Amino acid sequence: MEFDFTALEPEGRYRLLTNFVGPRPIALVTTRSAAGHDNAAPMSFFNVFSHDPPIVVLGIQPRLNGDEKDTVANIRRTGEFVVNMVDMALSQQMLICGLGFGSEIDELKMAGLRAGACSKIGVSYVADAPCSMECRVERLIDYPRRVLVLGEVVNMHVRRDCLDAEGRYVNPDVYQPIARLHADNYITSDRQLVLKAPPISDFANPPASRRR
Ligand SMILES: Cc1cc2nc3c(=O)[nH]c(=O)nc-3n(C[C@H](O)[C@H](O)[C@H](O)COP(=O)(O)O)c2cc1C
């Protein structure tokens, strides 16, 4: 089958893109409300796009009534947010944070999550999360029904047990993020595998300049 995206209605585009581009990592995004509450919302239109500069991107749509989500309003006002990664232990709390609470609700408290104080920005991070990235807005790209938030990571908290003994590389037995597939379907990373590319010389003789 073939789908003409220039003719397809938004719901159809959403269905196809989210059904087939996956698994998508989940950012549990924490922000600070104008009244000082901790706001939290999961976003799976999310990924890291660069390490130099260190840039993460979120795609946030308005609510069904057209209003901006609290996450966007807070990010516009403060220029700051935290991306907390989500594993199975946080899955239920993540879903609670995805419910449409008003901006006056402290969503970390509502979900039973502990708040930690960030070092470089005035937002709380999820102390129970395997890792959390403190971000400052690098730029916002506004579309009529979407804002792309480019954030520069300025600080990262990693739970000690998610790292190896030297504190350098991930411990894959402990850090097993969940990711979103289609609809309410998710996947966890408890069946990891190692894939190594064969040497290029198995296929061709590369020029000397390209040999490692
Ligand atoms: C797993 C998951 C992923 C989600 N991803 C997104 C997303 O990428 N963009 C978005 O606008 N909403 C997304 N949502 C919906 C928001 O989390 C939801 O609208 C939330 O209530 C927004 O909260 P806020 O008003 O506090 O910002 C997602 C929900 C779930 C459960």
Side-chain angles (χ1 to χ4, degrees):
M1 289 182 76
E2 192 173 303
F3 299 90
D4 177 359
F5 267 53
T6 63
L8 206 59
E9 80 289 3
E11 290 72 22
R13 288 182 243 140
Y14 178 86
R15 188 185 65 249
L16 285 165
L17 290 172
T18 58
N19 279 206
F20 287 94
V21 181
R24 298 181 306 285
I26 300 168
L28 181 54
V29 179
T30 44
T31 51
R32 174 80 26 101
S33 79
H37 300 303
D38 288 325
N39 189 82
M43 301 288 162
S44 71
F45 282 119
F46 154 69
N47 220 311
V48 59
F49 282 82
S50 164
H51 71 286
D52 189 18
I55 300 290
V56 294
V57 181
L58 308 170
I60 309 181
Q61 64 200 57
R63 291 187 231 264
L64 289 176
N65 67 4
D67 287 353
E68 224 163 43
K69 293 187 179 176
D70 295 335
T71 301
V72 175
N74 294 341
I75 288 176
R76 283 194 201 282
R77 198 184 59 259
T78 64
E80 299 175 339
F81 63 98
V82 179
V83 166
N84 305 274
M85 298 302 289
V86 177
D87 57 10
M88 272 307 285
L90 285 183
S91 56
Q92 285 306 313
Q93 292 94 323
M94 176 275 291
L95 290 174
I96 294 168
C97 293
L99 302 175
F101 296 112
S103 59
E104 72 287 359
I105 298 295
D106 186 315
E107 289 172 330
L108 290 186
K109 278 202 190 110
M110 183 62 83
L113 290 167
R114 289 183 304 128
C118 280
S119 303
K120 298 202 176 179
I121 60 174
V123 177
S124 299
Y125 71 96
V126 177
D128 316 84
C131 82
S132 307
M133 287 160 272
E134 300 182 20
C135 301
R136 288 203 183 100
V137 169
E138 196 276 337
R139 74 189 70 184
L140 299 176
I141 304 176
D142 277 297
Y143 294 91
R145 290 195 45 79
R146 175 80 43 175
V147 54
L148 296 186
V149 179
L150 276 69
E152 181 183 356
V153 180
V154 293
N155 203 44
M156 184 163 173
H157 305 256
V158 183
R159 229 174 51 210
R160 186 64 190 89
D161 62 334
C162 292
L163 286 166
D164 63 12
E166 288 74 42
R168 281 177 64 78
Y169 294 100
V170 70
N171 177 350
D173 295 329
V174 175
Y175 181 56
Q176 298 185 339
I178 61 168
R180 195 175 195 183
L181 291 163
H182 57 283
D184 289 338
N185 288 53
Y186 294 82
I187 192 166
T188 185
S189 359
D190 61 355
R191 275 180 49 207
Q192 301 183 21
L193 58 132
V194 176
L195 285 179
K196 283 196 192 298
I200 193 170
S201 54
D202 283 5
F203 301 89
N205 282 331
S209 60
R210 295 234 188 125
R211 281 186 206 136
R212 278 204 262 170

